[in-house]
Amino acid sequence: MIFVAALSALHSSFSLNHYGGSCSTVQFPAGQYGSFIVLAAFLAVVIFLTSSLCVTYCVYLQANLKADSATKPFLQRCQELVKVIDEYLAKDLQPVFPWLVESVFGSLDGVMVGWNLRLLQPRSSEYSVAMEFLDPSGPLMKLVYKLQAEEYKYEVPVSYLPGPVKASIQQGVLPDSPLFHNKLQFPLSGQLSLSLSLNPFEFYMFNFASCLIAPRSLPPGQIGSPSDSAYFVLVDTYLKHFLPTEGSVPPYPFLDARGTVSPPAPRSPSMQFTGYGSHGSSLLKRHISHQPSVNADPAAQEIWRSETLLQVFVEIWLHHYSLEMYQKLQSPQVKEPFSPTEDHVLVVRLLVKHLHAFSNSLKPEQVSSSPSAHSHASPLEEFKRVVVPRFVQQKLYVFLQHCFGHWPLDASFRAVLETWLSYIQPWRYTSEKSNPSGDSHSRTVPEKWASFVQENLLMYSKLFQGFLNRAVRTDLVNTKNALMVFRVAKVFAQPNLPDMIQKAEQLFLEPEHVLHHRQHREFLTPSHGGSFLSSRQPAEADAVFKVKSHVYSLEGQDCQYKQMFGSELRNVVLKLVQIIAQARQTAKRISDHSAEAAANQSFLSWFGIGSQDLNSTYAAGEPDDTGECVRKTHEFLDRALEFLCEIFRLNTGQVAQLVANLSQAPNDLGSKQLPDCIQSENGPILTDLGRLQIINGLRRFDIEYQGDLELQPIRSYENAVLVRLLFRVASVLNERFSSHMEALCSRRDLLGRLGRYYLTSPCERQQKSPVTRRFTERQWRPRLSLRTLASYRTLFGLVLLYMLGALLSFGPLSSTAFLLVSFFLHGLFMTLFGNKLKTH
């Protein structure tokens, strides 16, 4: 109606001027230009009104979607979202897209939880609906491509980036990842912070990756395996779709009216960025070490989604520790800037495994071809060649270093361990069929992987040292910890792998003149008149250069490299061997103790009758370290000893003798001996050896109850009602006859000795403290204790005696009198001859 009214007014105006109307209120400029001005004004009004209506309509659409998300079931909401994405234009959905992504993955600040993809398990009715909606060819990705075609941009505050990235940008240095190039939006007047301008695909993947690490108030008691969750499966699906190991990246499934979807514009390596803040004239510069991305080549635009996906995953999941921060974190006083969770590490392992498979799917002719032939390879093949060393290696190394140094000493470290072992074994993720017969340990590592070992030397040597430092401080009696030591030893004992690592260390220790020799001399290959001997020299020089570049880029030019096969680390390995041998003996002692307890167990245990001595409980190991677990612990530790001997060429005879000596030293390993400690005026202080002895269950302090025996906690072999009732009866009797009891016990004759036997307990006369190592006299007033009658063992014995008396024709009174007389005679006998029996 507005459009019709404006058109009518315009027509009337033209008519008045054309026919010379006498209306004095409407005057137009002379000539033809008046018509153009009127038409321009009309179009401006129409555009303004149309845009206002569009904005109003988008706000109305988003409000309806928000209302539906709070009231309608999950399936119905997804179905309506699919209709909205199919029916509406990109310009209508453009303002709705950020809210939609946030409602699915949660907000970056953690306030909104979203769909809880990390807790969504296959057994849930919402699982299949969510997976279909978020599939790489699903409705939400269709919306991403629809917006991508219109080249919309979305802003993400820099404050939500990982710590090193945020710090680098705030210091005026562009991070080395191509993901951040040409993306910075500098603050305008009134704005306080920088932001990144991301295209729809980048914005989607950024929020998806951040869903893993954003702070969430998740409900307690997560049920199900993390590897079965919707988020874990989606990560695997996206990796297989955008980084395929077979074929090429799938084409865009959804096209706009122009038949194309625009990728990001190619980045210019020489582009300069304007500074910000108080230093307006400064330049935001990129690192010198940055190499141009494959996207700089226009022909590589076909894989821009693959590169973007990988860059987002690596930056969000791994880039939380810079090299400088890693050096500072070696001090335990430094507070951790970021602590990854077990789910986080498991997803990183999934990424590592897939990248190995993706990189190893490089065509054989591309692997063996000369560098000049790389230009003829497809962009995806070139991307496979550089994906691990350029994008992952450095950040993963620092990430794992932090985990090795700061992860708790418990079984959850297994996730970190397997991530590390997956990275250093790329040969496990090849398309080559391995020999199914025999153990994987017996398969030799192919020689072609020597270059990978050389270019990742620190991943093997430095992280192995970090693992040793953890292993010597871990309770190896625990089956899960013993399994981790076995896993590492088994991997490093693979035939040919120790030789490769040792060769890489020798290359790193080559003198510097080898590099100069390489730079100033031109070598001839056999095809150009040279010999195979001369062709070996540049290959070795290149290897030296690669190893040194790798170590210096990760540890700095002034690093002090510790050899994995040097004498210092060998001593740590021998210490670990000794701890393993001690843990084996402790596990054997636990097994023997359990077997003995099981053999002595009688059918009385059915009534809860057992040892009433609290201090006799064996306190070594965890509750599950018995039976089958102890047998597995023995097996893991035995195999670990064998593998360590293979890796470091230890003398098996000496190791066997060490184990034998430990097994023949019962006094040293006896649980009755106190841990190694230093005596001080305040009591014993544990040494490092003493802590290891306690951790591994080799020795322990004797823990004794030293309080009032009448007030000790109710045991499982006691009846709680009887304990409380008998305590009240005894308290009344003790309070009423306390003076008579004291007078009786103070006598020096036989009657006084008999009174002291019945009215005081030997445990109350003598107390021993493991801290002060002193005996103290505690004066307890004579009193009567009836708590023994609340024990199930005592009650069961009384029942048996009364039944026996009934069989012998004794009545209840006669049986009771017989029991009292027997109890009195036993006391009299112990009073007269107890000291002599103790002496003997």
Side-chain angles (χ1 to χ4, degrees):
M1 294 179 62
I2 297 175
F3 176 76
V4 173
L7 188 61
S8 300
L10 182 64
H11 176 72
S12 301
S13 302
F14 275 112
S15 299
L16 289 172
N17 280 281
H18 181 70
Y19 293 106
S22 60
C23 182
S24 60
T25 59
V26 181
Q27 298 181 1
F28 297 96
Q32 188 177 2
Y33 293 103
S35 301
F36 287 108
I37 294 177
V38 172
L39 181 61
F42 166 74
L43 292 177
V45 172
V46 171
I47 292 174
F48 173 75
L49 293 176
T50 304
S51 61
S52 300
L53 287 175
C54 291
V55 171
T56 304
Y57 183 74
C58 292
V59 172
Y60 176 76
L61 175 63
Q62 183 172 344
N64 282 342
L65 293 176
K66 288 184 177 180
D68 292 345
S69 65
T71 58
K72 295 184 178 180
F74 183 78
L75 176 60
Q76 185 177 354
R77 293 191 334 243
C78 290
Q79 292 174 345
E80 293 185 357
L81 285 175
V82 172
K83 293 181 181 179
V84 169
I85 293 174
D86 290 336
E87 296 175 359
Y88 287 83
L89 300 176
K91 64 179 180 180
D92 299 328
L93 299 173
Q94 184 266 338
V96 182
F97 180 64
W99 168 84
L100 180 57
V101 171
E102 191 175 70
S103 66
V104 173
F105 302 129
S107 57
L108 297 175
D109 57 6
V111 176
M112 287 185 60
V113 179
W115 288 1
N116 259 339
L117 296 176
R118 291 167 55 186
L119 300 183
L120 193 59
Q121 297 289 327
R123 61 179 174 273
S124 172
S125 59
E126 301 175 352
Y127 178 85
S128 58
V129 180
M131 295 299 294
E132 183 178 354
F133 187 79
L134 300 175
D135 188 79
S137 301
L140 190 53
M141 192 61 70
K142 178 179 180 179
L143 174 59
V144 170
Y145 291 137
K146 184 183 290 189
L147 298 173
Q148 188 78 30
E150 300 297 334
E151 300 183 1
Y152 288 113
K153 299 292 182 181
Y154 299 93
E155 292 189 1
V156 173
V158 171
S159 58
Y160 292 122
L161 296 177
V165 181
K166 178 172 58 177
S168 177
I169 293 177
Q170 292 174 348
Q171 294 171 3
V173 179
L174 192 66
D176 58 356
S177 174
L179 178 66
F180 306 105
H181 296 170
N182 297 346
K183 303 290 176 61
L184 282 177
Q185 294 293 317
F186 299 101
L188 302 175
S189 58
Q191 295 182 350
L192 300 178
S193 62
L194 284 168
S195 62
L196 293 179
S197 179
L198 305 179
N199 63 44
F201 185 81
E202 294 168 337
F203 182 80
Y204 176 87
M205 287 302 168
F206 184 91
N207 282 269
F208 174 74
S210 300
C211 177
L212 179 64
I213 64 171
R216 297 277 187 259
S217 56
L218 300 176
Q222 176 179 351
I223 303 176
S225 171
S227 59
D228 293 334
S229 66
Y231 188 84
F232 193 91
V233 176
L234 277 174
V235 171
D236 186 49
T237 304
Y238 288 157
L239 289 174
K240 292 178 179 177
H241 184 84
F242 295 107
L243 299 171
T245 57
E246 296 181 0
S248 59
V249 182
Y252 301 108
F254 311 107
L255 302 177
D256 66 340
R258 298 174 298 177
T260 182
V261 177
S262 302
R267 291 181 291 274
S268 174
S270 60
M271 171 135 345
Q272 295 180 343
F273 300 86
T274 306
Y276 63 94
S278 58
H279 304 285
S281 60
S282 64
L283 296 178
L284 193 61
K285 51 190 178 299
R286 71 175 62 201
H287 286 292
I288 301 176
S289 61
H290 170 66
Q291 299 177 358
S293 167
V294 290
N295 269 3
D297 180 8
Q301 294 298 324
E302 63 182 81
I303 64 164
W304 69 269
R305 291 175 299 164
S306 304
E307 187 185 6
T308 299
L309 174 83
L310 178 61
Q311 290 172 0
V312 171
F313 285 0
V314 169
E315 292 298 321
I316 300 301
W317 294 342
L318 296 179
H319 199 180
H320 293 275
Y321 316 101
S322 62
L323 290 175
E324 297 79 9
M325 188 183 302
Y326 155 66
Q327 298 293 341
K328 296 178 181 178
L329 284 175
Q330 304 308 303
S331 173
Q333 287 78 21
V334 178
K335 184 180 179 181
E336 299 179 48
F338 176 82
S339 297
T341 62
E342 189 174 356
D343 291 355
H344 181 179
V345 177
L346 289 174
V347 173
V348 170
R349 184 185 181 224
L350 176 64
L351 174 65
V352 168
K353 293 168 61 176
H354 184 82
L355 290 181
H356 274 323
F358 176 71
S359 179
N360 293 335
S361 65
L362 187 65
K363 297 178 180 179
E365 60 269 16
Q366 298 298 334
V367 175
S368 59
S369 61
S370 61
S372 61
H374 295 342
S375 57
H376 302 290
S378 67
L380 185 62
E381 296 299 310
E382 281 296 311
F383 188 51
K384 292 178 180 179
R385 186 187 307 279
V386 302
V387 64
V388 173
R390 181 178 298 180
F391 292 95
V392 180
Q393 183 196 66
Q394 176 182 341
K395 295 180 176 64
L396 180 63
Y397 171 74
V398 179
F399 180 83
L400 291 177
Q401 274 280 33
H402 177 272
C403 291
F404 273 60
H406 294 79
W407 201 274
L409 290 172
D410 56 23
S412 65
F413 184 72
R414 178 74 185 276
V416 180
L417 184 77
E418 295 299 335
T419 303
W420 170 47
L421 297 181
S422 295
Y423 182 83
I424 63 176
Q425 297 182 91
W427 46 86
R428 293 180 54 193
Y429 309 100
T430 61
S431 58
E432 302 172 359
K433 298 297 182 181
S434 58
N435 183 14
S437 62
D439 188 8
S440 59
H441 166 69
S442 62
R443 290 195 290 268
T444 303
V445 178
E447 192 64 33
K448 68 178 183 178
W449 294 107
S451 60
F452 180 86
V453 175
Q454 294 167 6
E455 296 171 7
N456 294 270
L457 176 60
L458 292 177
M459 285 287 193
Y460 294 89
S461 60
K462 188 70 178 293
L463 292 184
F464 183 82
Q465 298 173 29
F467 176 76
L468 284 182
N469 293 332
R470 291 182 59 91
V472 297
R473 296 181 289 124
T474 305
D475 176 17
L476 298 185
V477 180
N478 185 301
T479 306
K480 297 177 181 178
N481 295 333
L483 174 60
M484 286 191 282
V485 176
F486 161 73
R487 288 280 296 122
V488 174
K490 179 181 178 182
V491 168
F492 277 85
Q494 295 177 83
N496 209 25
L497 181 57
D499 295 335
M500 288 182 179
I501 300 174
Q502 196 165 11
K503 174 63 176 176
E505 290 189 327
Q506 293 172 358
L507 291 174
F508 174 74
L509 298 176
E510 285 285 344
E512 294 293 335
H513 69 80
V514 174
L515 295 181
H516 301 296
H517 184 68
R518 171 183 178 270
Q519 295 171 353
H520 298 292
R521 179 177 175 179
E522 181 179 358
F523 297 97
L524 296 177
T525 61
S527 60
H528 291 82
S531 64
F532 283 99
L533 181 62
S534 63
S535 65
R536 177 184 176 275
Q537 294 175 344
E540 183 173 354
D542 286 338
V544 172
F545 179 78
K546 290 180 180 179
V547 175
K548 288 182 179 290
S549 299
H550 160 69
V551 174
Y552 291 145
S553 63
L554 295 182
E555 293 289 332
Q557 294 288 337
D558 56 346
C559 71
Q560 300 294 328
Y561 181 79
K562 295 182 180 179
Q563 298 183 55
M564 179 173 170
F565 296 94
S567 58
E568 182 177 352
L569 193 65
R570 188 181 182 87
N571 294 332
V572 181
V573 172
L574 292 176
K575 181 179 179 181
L576 176 61
V577 168
Q578 183 178 6
I579 293 175
I580 290 176
Q582 292 174 343
R584 288 176 70 257
Q585 297 303 317
T586 303
K588 183 178 183 300
R589 192 166 68 248
I590 296 175
S591 179
D592 295 342
H593 180 85
S594 301
E596 181 181 355
N600 295 333
Q601 191 74 10
S602 66
F603 73 97
L604 298 179
S605 62
W606 188 82
F607 297 93
I609 301 175
S611 174
Q612 300 185 24
D613 185 8
L614 294 176
N615 303 322
S616 65
T617 304
Y618 198 82
E622 291 190 351
D624 62 343
D625 289 332
T626 57
E628 183 68 17
C629 291
V630 174
R631 186 189 64 79
K632 290 183 178 180
T633 301
H634 269 285
E635 180 181 351
F636 292 148
L637 295 180
D638 288 341
R639 296 293 302 278
L641 279 176
E642 296 176 8
F643 291 144
L644 288 175
C645 292
E646 293 179 16
I647 298 169
F648 294 94
R649 298 178 178 87
L650 301 178
N651 190 319
T652 55
Q654 294 179 355
V655 173
Q657 184 63 36
L658 173 63
V659 175
N661 292 339
L662 290 173
S663 63
Q664 295 174 2
N667 293 332
D668 184 59
L669 294 175
S671 60
K672 295 299 183 181
Q673 188 171 354
L674 293 179
D676 187 73
C677 52
I678 301 174
Q679 294 297 331
S680 66
E681 57 182 9
N682 296 323
I685 300 176
L686 281 175
T687 63
D688 292 338
L689 177 59
R691 294 187 182 93
L692 287 174
Q693 291 170 342
I694 292 179
I695 290 175
N696 291 291
L698 303 177
R699 299 181 185 178
R700 62 187 176 93
F701 288 108
D702 290 331
I703 302 175
E704 298 178 356
Y705 182 81
Q706 297 186 8
D708 189 349
L709 297 181
E710 292 296 308
L711 300 179
Q712 61 181 320
I714 298 175
R715 310 300 181 210
S716 60
Y717 52 80
E718 294 177 325
N719 185 283
V721 177
L722 284 179
V723 168
R724 297 186 178 95
L725 178 62
L726 293 175
F727 176 75
R728 293 179 181 177
V729 172
S731 298
V732 172
L733 294 176
N734 291 329
E735 182 179 357
R736 189 164 188 177
F737 301 102
S738 60
S739 58
H740 299 283
M741 293 180 182
E742 291 180 0
L744 177 63
C745 293
S746 61
R747 298 177 58 167
R748 299 298 179 183
D749 54 5
L750 177 62
L751 192 61
R753 293 170 57 189
L754 193 62
R756 287 193 293 273
Y757 175 80
Y758 283 114
L759 300 178
T760 58
S761 172
C763 297
E764 296 174 346
R765 301 192 205 106
Q766 215 172 45
Q767 302 291 329
K768 178 181 177 182
S769 171
V771 177
T772 61
R773 299 180 64 87
R774 291 181 302 175
F775 294 93
T776 58
E777 289 288 339
R778 302 190 64 176
Q779 299 297 330
W780 296 98
R781 296 179 59 184
R783 57 182 177 176
L784 177 66
S785 177
L786 302 177
R787 182 161 180 166
T788 305
L789 298 176
S791 171
Y792 288 114
R793 173 185 291 179
T794 304
L795 293 175
F796 186 71
L798 291 176
V799 170
L800 290 179
L801 290 175
Y802 276 103
M803 292 175 62
L804 180 62
L807 292 176
L808 298 176
S809 301
F810 285 101
L813 293 178
S814 301
S815 298
T816 303
F818 175 77
L819 291 175
L820 293 176
V821 170
S822 300
F823 183 63
F824 174 78
L825 294 177
H826 176 268
L828 182 62
F829 178 80
M830 295 300 298
T831 301
L832 296 174
F833 306 104
N835 293 332
K836 295 182 179 180
L837 293 175
K838 290 181 181 179
T839 304
H840 290 292

